[in-house]
mmCIF file of all heavy atoms in Angstrom:
data_model
loop_
_atom_site.group_PDB
_atom_site.id
_atom_site.type_symbol
_atom_site.label_atom_id
_atom_site.label_comp_id
_atom_site.label_asym_id
_atom_site.label_seq_id
_atom_site.Cartn_x
_atom_site.Cartn_y
_atom_site.Cartn_z
ATOM 1 N N GLY A 109 1.032 8.469 -10.156
ATOM 2 C CA GLY A 109 0.721 7.220 -10.800
ATOM 3 C C GLY A 109 0.166 6.147 -9.872
ATOM 4 O O GLY A 109 -0.777 5.427 -10.213
ATOM 5 N N LEU A 114 -4.738 3.276 -7.886
ATOM 6 C CA LEU A 114 -5.756 2.995 -6.845
ATOM 7 C C LEU A 114 -7.100 3.496 -7.277
ATOM 8 O O LEU A 114 -8.063 2.771 -7.153
ATOM 9 C CB LEU A 114 -5.330 3.716 -5.523
ATOM 10 C CG LEU A 114 -6.396 3.521 -4.423
ATOM 11 C CD1 LEU A 114 -6.597 2.028 -4.068
ATOM 12 C CD2 LEU A 114 -5.977 4.313 -3.201
ATOM 13 N N THR A 121 -13.563 -2.101 -9.245
ATOM 14 C CA THR A 121 -14.121 -3.080 -8.273
ATOM 15 C C THR A 121 -15.368 -2.588 -7.539
ATOM 16 O O THR A 121 -16.164 -3.363 -7.104
ATOM 17 C CB THR A 121 -13.127 -3.461 -7.230
ATOM 18 O OG1 THR A 121 -12.768 -2.341 -6.453
ATOM 19 C CG2 THR A 121 -11.874 -4.110 -7.885
ATOM 20 N N GLY A 135 12.038 2.809 3.199
ATOM 21 C CA GLY A 135 12.379 4.159 3.534
ATOM 22 C C GLY A 135 11.156 4.926 4.024
ATOM 23 O O GLY A 135 10.040 4.463 3.915
ATOM 24 N N GLU A 166 9.785 2.692 10.661
ATOM 25 C CA GLU A 166 10.365 4.024 10.358
ATOM 26 C C GLU A 166 9.339 4.916 9.681
ATOM 27 O O GLU A 166 9.214 6.118 10.060
ATOM 28 C CB GLU A 166 11.567 3.800 9.416
ATOM 29 C CG GLU A 166 12.278 5.101 9.129
ATOM 30 C CD GLU A 166 13.442 4.914 8.142
ATOM 31 O OE1 GLU A 166 13.557 3.816 7.482
ATOM 32 O OE2 GLU A 166 14.247 5.836 8.049
ATOM 33 N N ALA A 169 6.772 5.980 12.291
ATOM 34 C CA ALA A 169 7.312 7.017 13.173
ATOM 35 C C ALA A 169 7.303 8.401 12.506
ATOM 36 O O ALA A 169 6.982 9.366 13.116
ATOM 37 C CB ALA A 169 8.703 6.600 13.621
ATOM 38 N N THR A 172 3.793 9.800 12.297
ATOM 39 C CA THR A 172 3.378 10.259 13.599
ATOM 40 C C THR A 172 4.098 11.576 13.901
ATOM 41 O O THR A 172 3.458 12.539 14.376
ATOM 42 C CB THR A 172 3.715 9.244 14.677
ATOM 43 O OG1 THR A 172 2.946 8.038 14.373
ATOM 44 C CG2 THR A 172 3.304 9.681 16.070
ATOM 45 N N LEU A 173 5.335 11.667 13.603
ATOM 46 C CA LEU A 173 6.165 12.887 13.877
ATOM 47 C C LEU A 173 5.614 14.111 13.177
ATOM 48 O O LEU A 173 5.544 15.214 13.723
ATOM 49 C CB LEU A 173 7.613 12.648 13.478
ATOM 50 C CG LEU A 173 8.549 13.838 13.755
ATOM 51 C CD1 LEU A 173 8.740 14.015 15.244
ATOM 52 C CD2 LEU A 173 9.897 13.563 13.087
#
Side-chain angles (χ1 to χ4, degrees):
L114 177 61
T121 64
E166 183 182 14
T172 299
L173 182 68

